[in-house]
Amino acid sequence: MTGTALLDRPPSPAPLVRGLARNPTASADVLLRLVETWPEDACEGLRGRRELPPPLQDAMLRHPSTRIRVALASHPHVDPLVRAKLLGDADWWVRMRAFGRPGQEALPDDVLVGLLTELDSPPSDLPFSREELIGELRAATGYDQRLVRLAAAHHRPGVRRFAAGLLDQVDERSRQALLEDAVPEVRAAATAAVAREQQVMEPADLPDQHSHGFWYVLQRPLSRALVDQVLASGDVAALRVMGRNASVPPDAVERLLRHSEPSVRQAVGGRLDLTGDQLLTLAADPAVEVRTEVSTHPGLTEEQRAGIRIDVTTAPGDGHFGLAAARCREIPPSADAAVPALADALRWARSVNPLLRRRAARNAELPAQVVTVLADDPDLGVRVLLAQQHPAAPPALLLRCYLEYHCCGRDRLSQLPQFPVEGLARFADDPDPAVRRLVALDPRADPELVERLTTDPDATVRQAMAGSPRLPVTRLTALLDDGELAEAAAANPALSIDQMRQVMHRLAAA
């Protein structure tokens, strides 16, 4: 200690407890004390920890607070054995959180089979049906087809009946087994699923107003009568959806290709059944968004692509790259957001079309020589996607993308292990607050500089500096009594264990 008294005034416990709970250097005894004395506030901080020490996991497992057990079940690095115990928790909210989440280790087959058995007969007082609970489990496993396969072969008919309703998501062997199941209810569910797959939508099936059911119908096989009805309706939104439907006949596609609304022609540009002449017509379309859409079509050659004038900012899901005004919530999901096969990625990485190169950059298995080429790509989107997705993205690329890119995933770049931290103090006076925040990551930043930035005009910069281990200890201890920066200061890894204990002592006595 430096002689400066910690927390001369009675502190508010919540920010300090949250900060101490996520402090990476907090010892197991400190964390146990937080969970024991301030469980609700500690719960919030524990969610932000990279690791939970085994003694802490044991204490959280036995804790009477449902929120604490939920926080444990939801943690990305909870011990698999502990998580298995949580699957038997008396509280179903805890059990459902223990189903899983992105980043957690997948449950083994035998555990999933046991879970499916339990979910087949949920307690009568539980406000969820079997279908809803198994649906939650599917979502928790990231819709892993393994779960549907296990359900299709399950010993309980109720579980197999659930799988029969997802007949299009099982392999051919499981599909046939469900269609020939010994239990009539399972066979009936599988037969009904086949009928739904083959049902052609008629005009009477289309709801009168736009709704989830309306869009669902337009993505199913369509009868000629329904196609003609939508064509005659003039409903541009409906025409856009129908334009992507593979069941629309060629003459109707031709009409959509010549529609006066560019967004309708743009929707048609992604169809795989377009003829060579149709592709060339769209490639010369007066609307740039139409030309951009068709420019990635597999039916075009690279030479043809090179001759198409495009604007990548018009591509759905891709247009935010380089647009400072874009916000993540305004960006629609891209149809091409899935990770491509490596063979496709290698081919697209050499394309003249930046949108295809962006698709390639999403593949984390690209070899080093391709990564080197794409890291210097003239398109910002290519560089950013490579930086975000590839584990061997060069450090210099990560920093460059952080400085140039202002939208979704920017902060995650600075959290990657290969992000270069040496020399970031040079950005202390950058006009962008997000760039000034980088000073907190520099292991050689001048402590006086870090202290100065704790009074920065931007709150996020002040909070970042309060959490910097380069912050002078006298300033750090003073910030523990600052209503705005107390949590960040309590999470500062430079805070000693003795200081943490002193904070807790004062909190308990307040």
Side-chain angles (χ1 to χ4, degrees):
M1 291 295 295
T2 65
T4 301
L6 289 177
L7 307 175
D8 289 333
R9 297 189 300 276
S12 171
L16 291 166
V17 171
R18 289 195 301 266
L20 291 175
R22 63 183 174 90
N23 192 310
T25 62
S27 60
D29 69 289
V30 167
L31 296 172
L32 288 169
R33 173 79 184 281
L34 293 171
V35 168
E36 176 185 347
T37 312
W38 303 278
E40 297 302 305
D41 294 327
C43 179
E44 297 303 317
L46 294 174
R47 297 181 194 277
R49 290 188 64 83
R50 290 185 180 274
E51 301 291 343
L52 299 176
L56 178 63
Q57 292 194 36
D58 290 340
M60 293 174 72
L61 176 67
R62 299 188 302 270
H63 203 281
S65 169
T66 299
R67 289 189 64 192
I68 288 289
R69 302 197 307 278
V70 165
L72 176 62
S74 304
H75 198 276
H77 303 297
V78 59
D79 185 286
L81 295 178
V82 172
R83 184 168 157 225
K85 293 178 182 178
L86 288 167
L87 289 169
D89 194 279
D91 191 303
W92 270 87
W93 288 109
V94 177
R95 298 171 78 170
M96 290 171 67
R97 293 301 178 272
F99 286 175
R101 54 172 292 184
Q104 285 186 322
E105 184 176 330
L107 294 171
D109 285 4
D110 61 331
V111 173
L112 286 175
V113 169
L115 259 179
L116 288 168
T117 301
E118 290 187 61
L119 301 183
D120 185 46
S121 300
S124 58
D125 59 345
L126 194 67
F128 300 104
S129 67
R130 169 182 57 223
E131 288 72 22
E132 289 171 328
L133 286 169
I134 299 180
E136 287 288 330
L137 180 57
R138 286 192 70 219
T141 59
Y143 297 96
D144 187 347
Q145 297 304 308
R146 181 172 59 109
L147 180 65
V148 184
R149 173 178 56 80
L150 293 172
H154 201 274
H155 62 278
R156 299 198 66 156
V159 178
R160 298 200 304 278
R161 189 164 66 246
F162 177 87
L166 302 169
L167 208 61
D168 60 329
Q169 299 179 37
V170 298
D171 58 82
E172 187 56 38
R173 181 177 179 180
S174 298
R175 179 186 178 96
Q176 196 59 39
L178 290 169
L179 286 167
E180 299 173 357
D181 197 278
V183 177
E185 292 81 4
V186 177
R187 291 199 308 274
T191 301
V194 171
R196 285 196 303 272
E197 289 177 4
Q198 299 174 348
Q199 181 182 3
V200 176
M201 297 292 100
E202 299 290 347
D205 296 315
L206 188 67
D208 293 333
Q209 297 181 336
H210 291 178
S211 62
H212 176 77
F214 184 93
W215 307 120
Y216 173 75
V217 167
L218 289 181
Q219 295 175 73
R220 300 291 308 283
L222 307 178
S223 69
R224 181 67 209 216
L226 182 51
V227 169
D228 289 341
Q229 175 180 302
V230 177
L231 285 171
S233 71
D235 186 336
V236 170
L239 291 170
R240 285 200 299 264
V241 174
M242 192 176 75
R244 301 183 181 95
N245 192 313
S247 68
V248 175
D251 65 298
V253 172
E254 188 66 30
R255 287 181 61 183
L256 293 171
L257 276 169
R258 304 188 184 284
H259 197 276
S260 60
E261 173 57 46
S263 65
V264 175
R265 304 196 301 276
Q266 182 182 21
V268 177
R271 296 182 64 93
L272 296 179
D273 58 355
L274 296 175
T275 66
D277 288 342
Q278 289 172 332
L279 288 173
L280 293 179
T281 297
L282 291 171
D285 195 279
V288 67
E289 62 267 36
V290 178
R291 300 196 303 272
T292 302
E293 173 68 29
V294 79
S295 69
T296 62
H297 198 284
L300 294 173
T301 66
E302 283 296 295
E303 183 179 3
Q304 289 171 322
R305 282 189 232 285
I308 304 174
R309 292 178 295 109
I310 68 173
D311 179 355
V312 294
T313 65
T314 67
D318 279 303
H320 63 289
F321 290 109
L323 297 180
R327 294 293 181 267
C328 296
R329 64 179 179 273
E330 298 170 355
I331 299 166
S334 172
D336 304 314
V339 176
L342 182 58
D344 290 331
L346 291 173
R347 186 174 69 256
W348 292 337
R350 299 187 296 270
S351 176
V352 297
N353 187 290
L355 296 174
L356 288 177
R357 300 199 303 276
R358 289 181 185 183
R359 296 184 195 178
R362 291 186 171 99
N363 190 299
E365 298 179 351
L366 289 173
Q369 63 269 28
V370 177
V371 171
T372 299
V373 172
L374 293 181
D376 198 35
D377 196 278
D379 178 73
L380 175 64
V382 173
R383 299 195 303 273
V384 170
L385 287 167
L386 184 71
Q388 291 176 337
Q389 304 293 336
H390 205 287
L397 172 67
L398 300 187
L399 179 57
R400 179 185 179 186
C401 289
Y402 188 93
L403 296 176
E404 296 177 348
Y405 179 60
H406 300 86
C407 200
C408 302
R410 184 188 193 187
D411 285 337
R412 289 197 297 273
L413 292 171
S414 63
Q415 298 166 10
L416 294 172
Q418 72 269 39
F419 190 84
V421 294
E422 295 280 351
L424 294 179
R426 68 185 185 273
F427 296 118
D429 296 311
D430 193 278
D432 184 351
V435 177
R436 295 199 300 278
R437 290 200 300 267
L438 294 178
V439 175
L441 302 178
D442 191 336
R444 300 182 184 277
D446 186 334
E448 292 184 0
L449 173 62
V450 175
E451 181 173 1
R452 171 169 72 82
L453 289 174
T454 60
T455 61
D456 189 272
D458 185 84
T460 65
V461 176
R462 298 194 296 272
Q463 290 165 356
M465 300 308 138
S468 169
R470 298 291 292 170
L471 184 65
V473 66
T474 52
R475 180 61 173 159
L476 171 57
T477 55
L479 291 181
L480 290 167
D481 199 27
D482 183 298
E484 177 192 53
L485 302 179
E487 180 174 345
N492 193 315
L495 202 65
S496 71
I497 298 299
D498 285 342
Q499 288 172 318
M500 295 182 196
R501 289 172 179 152
Q502 184 178 352
V503 171
M504 292 190 297
H505 177 75
R506 292 296 304 276
L507 287 175

